[in-house]
Amino acid sequence: MRSLFPVTDLTTSAAAPGREWSLDELAEAYAYPTGLPAEGPGSAWLRANMVSTLDGAAQHDGRSQPISCAADMRIFGTLRALADVVIAGAETVRQEGYRPARAREVFAARRAAAGQGPAPAVAVVSGSLDLDFSLPLFTEPLVPTLVVTGAGAPADRIAAARKAGAEVVIAGEGARVDPARVVRELADRGLWRQLTEGGPRLLGQFVAAGVLDELCLTLSPMLTAGDAQRIAGGPGVTVPERFTLASLLEEDGFLFGRYRR
């Protein structure tokens, strides 16, 4: 079963059984908004992409892949191909084995028309900079990897990051990274189409800071029980913020929702 429910006009379309969503269809469905101001508040669009089971688990055995599916991975790749920068926390980079974002020929013309380079940058958020700078993410990227940290990060780790070719972005005082400043600092570098892939603690910080504009959530038709993390963790907000459902796709029992603030 494969269908699309574009909530904006309440119409439904479905393709022939067994046909996958094309990458062009997905790129249109997940296009970033246009007309944002060139600078100042609202000059960036921060989108999150997460997956959750029916009982709220964001991972199984520490990774998201076991609760994902082929369609989810196509959307994952599409969202990366539309972004200027992919933002991830250090723990997620370690657990998921992050590698540099790659250039994909199928998206080359679309990225060129949008004034983007061949692939998005990856920005790793880490206060301690406890990262292995010998990994391909830092030594073999098409676009230099950014390391986002606080002004009080260990000087030797900052030096190691720069020696490995990473660009160090200061986005906080002391060792703490300010999530709102992360968004601003990246936008100031022309990286306004922002995509965060978590993990849950980083996403929770963006939510608590009120800077998340959009959540792309895959609802996996699986149950895991256990004590896995939710998609967002950390301190809660005083009053829950309501998002609006912008679109909903379905394939093989997986739901792909897009919610906007």
Side-chain angles (χ1 to χ4, degrees), residues 12-260:
T12 303
S13 63
R19 188 175 79 82
E20 296 180 343
W21 290 103
S22 74
L23 294 179
D24 279 338
E25 287 173 321
L26 291 176
E28 290 298 326
Y30 286 93
Y32 276 85
T34 58
L36 295 179
E39 56 185 25
S43 60
W45 188 267
L46 177 61
R47 157 186 285 171
N49 182 35
M50 301 293 284
V51 59
S52 171
T53 62
L54 296 176
D55 53 348
Q59 305 164 339
H60 183 65
D61 287 339
R63 301 185 67 235
S64 59
Q65 189 277 331
I67 62 173
S68 182
C69 67
D72 184 43
M73 295 311 298
R74 290 200 305 277
I75 291 174
F76 174 91
T78 299
L79 293 180
R80 280 193 159 206
L82 297 175
D84 295 324
V85 60
V86 177
I87 310 168
E91 186 62 22
T92 295
V93 167
R94 287 189 288 263
Q95 288 186 347
E96 300 284 352
Y98 264 51
R99 297 184 63 85
R102 60 191 178 93
R104 299 180 64 185
E105 183 61 32
V106 68
F107 293 107
R110 188 180 293 270
R111 289 187 65 87
Q116 297 172 296
V122 175
V124 183
V125 179
S126 174
S128 67
L129 297 186
D130 181 17
L131 299 162
D132 184 353
F133 293 117
S134 68
L135 293 176
L137 177 61
F138 301 101
T139 61
E140 301 175 9
L142 281 175
V143 182
T145 294
L146 299 104
V147 175
V148 186
T149 191
D156 61 328
R157 301 306 296 160
I158 291 178
R162 288 176 171 152
K163 183 178 180 180
E167 178 181 351
V168 177
V169 178
I170 302 299
E173 304 304 321
R176 182 178 178 276
V177 176
D178 178 352
R181 188 169 165 186
V182 172
V183 173
R184 293 197 305 271
E185 291 289 343
L186 294 176
D188 286 347
R189 288 162 172 78
L191 307 173
W192 69 266
R193 303 175 189 87
Q194 300 177 6
L195 170 67
T196 180
E197 296 169 350
R201 186 170 65 174
L202 179 61
L203 178 56
Q205 291 171 351
F206 283 133
V207 171
V211 295
L212 184 70
D213 297 296
E214 181 177 331
L215 173 64
C216 298
L217 178 64
T218 296
L219 184 61
S220 170
M222 300 181 189
L223 294 168
T224 64
D227 56 359
Q229 291 179 297
R230 299 161 48 203
I231 66 166
V237 296
T238 304
V239 178
E241 184 175 7
R242 180 162 181 164
F243 277 47
T244 300
L245 180 63
S247 67
L248 183 64
L249 289 75
E250 183 275 339
E251 186 169 314
D252 294 332
F254 285 78
L255 297 179
F256 308 96
R258 188 166 57 91
Y259 298 84
R260 287 188 170 187

